[in-house]
Short mmCIF file of all heavy atoms in Angstrom, two decimals:
data_model
loop_
_atom_site.label_atom_id
_atom_site.label_comp_id
_atom_site.label_asym_id
_atom_site.label_seq_id
_atom_site.Cartn_x
_atom_site.Cartn_y
_atom_site.Cartn_z
N THR A 1486 -6.00 -6.83 -42.38
CA THR A 1486 -6.94 -5.84 -42.89
C THR A 1486 -8.29 -6.52 -43.07
O THR A 1486 -8.48 -7.68 -42.71
CB THR A 1486 -6.46 -5.25 -44.22
OG1 THR A 1486 -6.57 -6.25 -45.25
CG2 THR A 1486 -5.01 -4.79 -44.14
N ASP A 1487 -9.24 -5.82 -43.69
CA ASP A 1487 -10.55 -6.42 -43.96
C ASP A 1487 -10.56 -7.31 -45.19
O ASP A 1487 -11.60 -7.89 -45.51
CB ASP A 1487 -11.61 -5.32 -44.13
CG ASP A 1487 -12.19 -4.86 -42.81
OD1 ASP A 1487 -11.92 -5.49 -41.77
OD2 ASP A 1487 -12.91 -3.84 -42.80
N ARG A 1488 -9.45 -7.44 -45.89
CA ARG A 1488 -9.40 -8.33 -47.05
C ARG A 1488 -9.67 -9.76 -46.61
O ARG A 1488 -9.13 -10.22 -45.61
CB ARG A 1488 -8.05 -8.22 -47.74
CG ARG A 1488 -7.80 -6.83 -48.32
CD ARG A 1488 -6.41 -6.74 -48.94
NE ARG A 1488 -6.29 -7.60 -50.10
CZ ARG A 1488 -5.14 -7.86 -50.72
NH1 ARG A 1488 -4.00 -7.32 -50.26
NH2 ARG A 1488 -5.10 -8.62 -51.79
N SER A 1489 -10.51 -10.47 -47.34
CA SER A 1489 -11.05 -11.74 -46.84
C SER A 1489 -10.31 -12.99 -47.29
O SER A 1489 -10.53 -14.06 -46.74
CB SER A 1489 -12.52 -11.86 -47.26
OG SER A 1489 -12.64 -11.86 -48.68
N ARG A 1490 -9.42 -12.91 -48.27
CA ARG A 1490 -8.80 -14.12 -48.78
C ARG A 1490 -7.27 -14.13 -48.70
O ARG A 1490 -6.65 -15.18 -48.81
CB ARG A 1490 -9.22 -14.37 -50.24
CG ARG A 1490 -10.70 -14.66 -50.37
CD ARG A 1490 -11.10 -15.06 -51.77
NE ARG A 1490 -12.50 -15.42 -51.84
CZ ARG A 1490 -12.98 -16.62 -51.53
NH1 ARG A 1490 -12.16 -17.58 -51.15
NH2 ARG A 1490 -14.27 -16.86 -51.61
N THR A 1491 -6.67 -13.00 -48.50
CA THR A 1491 -5.21 -12.98 -48.45
C THR A 1491 -4.71 -13.83 -47.29
O THR A 1491 -5.26 -13.80 -46.20
CB THR A 1491 -4.69 -11.53 -48.33
OG1 THR A 1491 -3.28 -11.53 -48.18
CG2 THR A 1491 -5.30 -10.82 -47.12
N GLY A 1492 -3.69 -14.63 -47.56
CA GLY A 1492 -3.18 -15.55 -46.56
C GLY A 1492 -3.95 -16.86 -46.50
O GLY A 1492 -3.65 -17.72 -45.68
N GLY A 1493 -4.94 -17.01 -47.39
CA GLY A 1493 -5.79 -18.20 -47.38
C GLY A 1493 -7.14 -17.88 -46.77
O GLY A 1493 -7.21 -17.34 -45.66
N ALA A 1494 -8.21 -18.21 -47.49
CA ALA A 1494 -9.55 -17.78 -47.06
C ALA A 1494 -9.90 -18.30 -45.67
O ALA A 1494 -10.40 -17.55 -44.81
CB ALA A 1494 -10.59 -18.22 -48.08
N ALA A 1495 -9.67 -19.59 -45.42
CA ALA A 1495 -10.03 -20.16 -44.12
C ALA A 1495 -9.17 -19.58 -43.00
O ALA A 1495 -9.67 -19.16 -41.96
CB ALA A 1495 -9.90 -21.68 -44.16
N LEU A 1496 -7.87 -19.55 -43.24
CA LEU A 1496 -6.96 -19.03 -42.23
C LEU A 1496 -7.22 -17.55 -41.97
O LEU A 1496 -7.16 -17.09 -40.82
CB LEU A 1496 -5.51 -19.22 -42.70
CG LEU A 1496 -4.42 -18.58 -41.85
CD1 LEU A 1496 -4.46 -19.13 -40.43
CD2 LEU A 1496 -3.06 -18.82 -42.48
N ASN A 1497 -7.53 -16.82 -43.00
CA ASN A 1497 -7.79 -15.39 -42.88
C ASN A 1497 -8.90 -15.14 -41.85
O ASN A 1497 -8.75 -14.32 -40.93
CB ASN A 1497 -8.18 -14.83 -44.25
CG ASN A 1497 -8.44 -13.35 -44.26
OD1 ASN A 1497 -9.38 -12.87 -43.65
ND2 ASN A 1497 -7.60 -12.62 -44.98
N ALA A 1498 -10.01 -15.84 -41.99
CA ALA A 1498 -11.14 -15.65 -41.07
C ALA A 1498 -10.78 -16.09 -39.66
O ALA A 1498 -11.15 -15.44 -38.68
CB ALA A 1498 -12.35 -16.43 -41.58
N GLN A 1499 -10.04 -17.19 -39.56
CA GLN A 1499 -9.65 -17.69 -38.24
C GLN A 1499 -8.72 -16.71 -37.54
O GLN A 1499 -8.88 -16.42 -36.34
CB GLN A 1499 -8.98 -19.06 -38.40
CG GLN A 1499 -9.92 -20.13 -38.90
CD GLN A 1499 -9.19 -21.36 -39.39
OE1 GLN A 1499 -7.97 -21.39 -39.47
NE2 GLN A 1499 -9.93 -22.41 -39.71
N ALA A 1500 -7.74 -16.19 -38.26
CA ALA A 1500 -6.77 -15.28 -37.66
C ALA A 1500 -7.43 -13.98 -37.22
O ALA A 1500 -7.06 -13.40 -36.20
CB ALA A 1500 -5.64 -15.00 -38.66
N LYS A 1501 -8.38 -13.50 -38.00
CA LYS A 1501 -9.10 -12.29 -37.60
C LYS A 1501 -9.81 -12.51 -36.27
O LYS A 1501 -9.75 -11.67 -35.37
CB LYS A 1501 -10.10 -11.90 -38.69
CG LYS A 1501 -9.49 -11.20 -39.90
CD LYS A 1501 -10.56 -10.88 -40.93
CE LYS A 1501 -10.07 -9.91 -42.00
NZ LYS A 1501 -8.92 -10.40 -42.76
N ARG A 1502 -10.51 -13.63 -36.14
CA ARG A 1502 -11.22 -13.90 -34.90
C ARG A 1502 -10.23 -14.01 -33.73
O ARG A 1502 -10.46 -13.46 -32.64
CB ARG A 1502 -12.04 -15.18 -35.02
CG ARG A 1502 -12.77 -15.57 -33.75
CD ARG A 1502 -13.76 -14.48 -33.30
NE ARG A 1502 -14.38 -14.83 -32.03
CZ ARG A 1502 -15.48 -15.55 -31.93
NH1 ARG A 1502 -16.10 -15.99 -33.03
NH2 ARG A 1502 -15.99 -15.81 -30.75
N ALA A 1503 -9.14 -14.71 -33.94
CA ALA A 1503 -8.16 -14.87 -32.87
C ALA A 1503 -7.55 -13.54 -32.45
O ALA A 1503 -7.34 -13.28 -31.27
CB ALA A 1503 -7.07 -15.84 -33.31
N THR A 1504 -7.27 -12.69 -33.43
CA THR A 1504 -6.68 -11.38 -33.13
C THR A 1504 -7.64 -10.53 -32.31
O THR A 1504 -7.25 -9.89 -31.32
CB THR A 1504 -6.31 -10.66 -34.43
OG1 THR A 1504 -5.35 -11.45 -35.14
CG2 THR A 1504 -5.71 -9.29 -34.15
N ALA A 1505 -8.91 -10.52 -32.71
CA ALA A 1505 -9.90 -9.74 -31.97
C ALA A 1505 -10.04 -10.27 -30.54
O ALA A 1505 -10.11 -9.49 -29.58
CB ALA A 1505 -11.24 -9.80 -32.70
N GLU A 1506 -10.06 -11.58 -30.38
CA GLU A 1506 -10.18 -12.17 -29.05
C GLU A 1506 -8.94 -11.88 -28.20
O GLU A 1506 -9.05 -11.62 -27.00
CB GLU A 1506 -10.40 -13.68 -29.16
CG GLU A 1506 -11.75 -14.08 -29.72
CD GLU A 1506 -12.89 -13.81 -28.75
OE1 GLU A 1506 -12.61 -13.51 -27.56
OE2 GLU A 1506 -14.06 -13.89 -29.17
N LEU A 1507 -7.79 -11.94 -28.81
CA LEU A 1507 -6.56 -11.68 -28.06
C LEU A 1507 -6.54 -10.23 -27.56
O LEU A 1507 -6.08 -9.96 -26.44
CB LEU A 1507 -5.33 -11.96 -28.93
CG LEU A 1507 -3.97 -11.71 -28.27
CD1 LEU A 1507 -3.81 -12.51 -26.99
CD2 LEU A 1507 -2.84 -12.03 -29.25
N GLY A 1508 -7.01 -9.31 -28.37
CA GLY A 1508 -7.06 -7.92 -27.93
C GLY A 1508 -7.90 -7.76 -26.67
O GLY A 1508 -7.50 -7.06 -25.73
N LEU A 1509 -9.05 -8.42 -26.63
CA LEU A 1509 -9.90 -8.34 -25.44
C LEU A 1509 -9.24 -8.99 -24.23
O LEU A 1509 -9.31 -8.45 -23.12
CB LEU A 1509 -11.25 -9.00 -25.73
CG LEU A 1509 -12.14 -8.33 -26.77
CD1 LEU A 1509 -13.37 -9.18 -27.04
CD2 LEU A 1509 -12.55 -6.93 -26.33
N ALA A 1510 -8.62 -10.13 -24.44
CA ALA A 1510 -7.95 -10.81 -23.33
C ALA A 1510 -6.81 -9.96 -22.78
O ALA A 1510 -6.58 -9.90 -21.57
CB ALA A 1510 -7.43 -12.17 -23.80
N PHE A 1511 -6.10 -9.29 -23.68
CA PHE A 1511 -5.00 -8.41 -23.26
C PHE A 1511 -5.54 -7.26 -22.42
O PHE A 1511 -4.95 -6.90 -21.38
CB PHE A 1511 -4.29 -7.90 -24.52
CG PHE A 1511 -3.25 -6.86 -24.27
CD1 PHE A 1511 -2.08 -7.16 -23.59
CD2 PHE A 1511 -3.42 -5.56 -24.74
CE1 PHE A 1511 -1.10 -6.19 -23.37
CE2 PHE A 1511 -2.45 -4.59 -24.54
CZ PHE A 1511 -1.28 -4.91 -23.84
N LEU A 1512 -6.64 -6.68 -22.83
CA LEU A 1512 -7.20 -5.56 -22.07
C LEU A 1512 -7.70 -6.02 -20.70
O LEU A 1512 -7.57 -5.28 -19.71
CB LEU A 1512 -8.32 -4.89 -22.85
CG LEU A 1512 -7.92 -4.26 -24.19
CD1 LEU A 1512 -9.09 -3.47 -24.77
CD2 LEU A 1512 -6.70 -3.37 -24.04
N ASP A 1513 -8.26 -7.23 -20.61
CA ASP A 1513 -8.63 -7.77 -19.30
C ASP A 1513 -7.42 -7.86 -18.39
O ASP A 1513 -7.48 -7.55 -17.20
CB ASP A 1513 -9.25 -9.16 -19.46
CG ASP A 1513 -10.71 -9.12 -19.86
OD1 ASP A 1513 -11.30 -8.02 -19.88
OD2 ASP A 1513 -11.27 -10.19 -20.14
N LEU A 1514 -6.33 -8.31 -18.97
CA LEU A 1514 -5.10 -8.48 -18.20
C LEU A 1514 -4.55 -7.14 -17.72
O LEU A 1514 -4.16 -6.97 -16.57
CB LEU A 1514 -4.06 -9.21 -19.05
CG LEU A 1514 -2.72 -9.53 -18.41
CD1 LEU A 1514 -2.90 -10.41 -17.19
CD2 LEU A 1514 -1.81 -10.21 -19.41
N VAL A 1515 -4.56 -6.17 -18.62
CA VAL A 1515 -3.97 -4.87 -18.30
C VAL A 1515 -4.82 -4.10 -17.30
O VAL A 1515 -4.31 -3.57 -16.31
CB VAL A 1515 -3.78 -4.05 -19.59
CG1 VAL A 1515 -3.38 -2.61 -19.26
CG2 VAL A 1515 -2.74 -4.69 -20.48
N PHE A 1516 -6.13 -4.04 -17.56
CA PHE A 1516 -6.97 -3.13 -16.79
C PHE A 1516 -7.70 -3.78 -15.61
O PHE A 1516 -8.09 -3.09 -14.68
CB PHE A 1516 -7.99 -2.46 -17.70
CG PHE A 1516 -7.36 -1.56 -18.73
CD1 PHE A 1516 -7.62 -1.72 -20.08
CD2 PHE A 1516 -6.50 -0.56 -18.34
CE1 PHE A 1516 -7.05 -0.89 -21.03
CE2 PHE A 1516 -5.90 0.28 -19.29
CZ PHE A 1516 -6.18 0.11 -20.62
N ALA A 1517 -7.89 -5.09 -15.67
CA ALA A 1517 -8.58 -5.78 -14.58
C ALA A 1517 -7.65 -6.71 -13.82
O ALA A 1517 -8.09 -7.36 -12.88
CB ALA A 1517 -9.78 -6.56 -15.12
N GLN A 1518 -6.38 -6.78 -14.23
CA GLN A 1518 -5.43 -7.71 -13.63
C GLN A 1518 -6.01 -9.12 -13.60
O GLN A 1518 -5.86 -9.87 -12.64
CB GLN A 1518 -5.03 -7.27 -12.22
CG GLN A 1518 -4.18 -6.01 -12.19
CD GLN A 1518 -5.00 -4.75 -12.37
OE1 GLN A 1518 -6.00 -4.56 -11.68
NE2 GLN A 1518 -4.60 -3.90 -13.28
N ASP A 1519 -6.69 -9.48 -14.68
CA ASP A 1519 -7.38 -10.76 -14.79
C ASP A 1519 -6.83 -11.52 -16.00
O ASP A 1519 -7.05 -11.12 -17.15
CB ASP A 1519 -8.89 -10.52 -14.95
CG ASP A 1519 -9.70 -11.80 -14.91
OD1 ASP A 1519 -9.11 -12.89 -15.02
OD2 ASP A 1519 -10.94 -11.70 -14.77
N GLY A 1520 -6.09 -12.58 -15.73
CA GLY A 1520 -5.48 -13.34 -16.80
C GLY A 1520 -6.28 -14.52 -17.27
O GLY A 1520 -5.81 -15.31 -18.10
N ARG A 1521 -7.50 -14.68 -16.78
CA ARG A 1521 -8.27 -15.87 -17.15
C ARG A 1521 -8.62 -15.92 -18.63
O ARG A 1521 -8.55 -16.98 -19.25
CB ARG A 1521 -9.55 -15.93 -16.30
CG ARG A 1521 -9.31 -16.23 -14.83
CD ARG A 1521 -10.59 -16.15 -14.03
NE ARG A 1521 -11.13 -14.79 -14.04
CZ ARG A 1521 -12.28 -14.46 -13.45
NH1 ARG A 1521 -13.01 -15.39 -12.85
NH2 ARG A 1521 -12.70 -13.20 -13.49
#
């Protein structure tokens, strides 16, 4: 969620960024057949 400290403040921010990036990479794979 948008909560900033649950799970640890540093990890929380890192995991959010990774999740957002993974979503984009997944969509590239699905719609562009591009796994790079």
